[in-house]
């Protein structure tokens, strides 16, 4: 993920959080396994920062990251859920779980609480449309605004077609 308007952040040590996060598959239980990062010659301090960032980034954890690295990772993770790629992910996931696109009698959750365990479109209302207001960095906020606009345009078009 490229945070286009964010200038390169200078670290006291070179660290690529995005590469590391992919390497460890963004699993919180990874924190218990420091040895997998030791083989990449990270210091204990670097491992601690990486683990804190991974632990804090998850939407479901409802945490504000403690470090700038955690904030960047959380924004990157949230940006991946927005825009055209986010829309594709919603329907790919829902399709693999055999979930219908929407609830026929109330597709846009006007008279009910969104339930994204049952309907794909509900995920927009349950999570995706909330992400823009939860971004941590200036560049994350700028990019989230653009990608949220894509979601809203999609929903407007979707509504016109059903």
């Amino acid at each position: 993920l490229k945070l286009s308007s964010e200038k390169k952040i200078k670290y006291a040590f070179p660290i690529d959080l995005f590469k590391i996060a992919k390497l460890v598959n963004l699993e919180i239980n990874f924190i218990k396994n420091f040895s997998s990062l030791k083989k990449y010659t990270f210091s204990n301090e670097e491992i601690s920062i990486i683990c804190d960032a991974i632990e804090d980034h998850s939407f479901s954890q409802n945490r504000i990251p403690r470090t700038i690295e955690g904030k960047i990772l959380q924004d990157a993770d949230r940006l991946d859920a927005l825009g055209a790629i986010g829309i594709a992910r919603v329907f790919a996931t829902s399709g693999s779980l055999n979930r219908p696109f929407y609830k026929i009698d109330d597709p846009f959750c006007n008279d009910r609480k969104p339930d994204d365990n049952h309907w794909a479109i509900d995920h927009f209302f349950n999570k995706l449309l909330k992400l823009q207001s939860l971004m941590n960095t200036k560049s994350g906020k700028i990019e989230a605004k653009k990608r949220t606009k894509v979601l809203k345009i999609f929903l407007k078009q979707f509504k016109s077609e059903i």
Side-chain angles (χ1 to χ4, degrees), residues 118-136:
H118 287 97
W119 299 285
I121 289 293
D122 287 31
H123 192 60
F124 289 76
F125 302 103
N126 204 32
K127 179 181 177 183
L128 301 184
L129 293 171
K130 297 175 184 177
L131 293 178
Q132 180 183 343
S133 68
L134 300 174
M135 303 305 283
N136 299 293

Side-chain angles (χ1 to χ4, degrees), residues 9 19 49 88 106 120 129 139:
I9 294 177
K19 200 176 281 183
I49 289 170
D106 187 8
L129 293 171
S139 59

Side-chain angles (χ1 to χ4, degrees), residues 23-36 51 54-58 61 63:
L23 176 72
V24 299
N25 206 17
L26 298 178
E27 294 293 335
I28 291 172
N29 64 8
F30 167 76
I31 291 167
K32 298 174 186 168
N33 188 8
F34 285 94
S35 62
S36 57
C51 291
I54 293 167
E55 183 178 24
D56 290 346
H57 91 282
S58 173
Q61 293 290 321
R63 292 185 182 172

Side-chain angles (χ1 to χ4, degrees), residues 79-95:
L79 287 171
D80 276 350
L82 297 173
I85 295 295
I87 293 167
R89 287 176 59 189
V90 167
F91 290 103
T93 300
S94 292

Side-chain angles (χ1 to χ4, degrees), residues 32-66:
K32 298 174 186 168
N33 188 8
F34 285 94
S35 62
S36 57
L37 280 180
K38 287 271 190 200
K39 70 181 178 184
Y40 295 100
T41 66
F42 288 105
S43 71
N44 287 338
E45 180 185 5
E46 292 168 324
I47 291 171
S48 178
I49 289 170
I50 292 165
C51 291
D52 286 348
I54 293 167
E55 183 178 24
D56 290 346
H57 91 282
S58 173
F59 180 82
S60 61
Q61 293 290 321
N62 198 26
R63 292 185 182 172
I64 296 172
R66 297 167 271 184

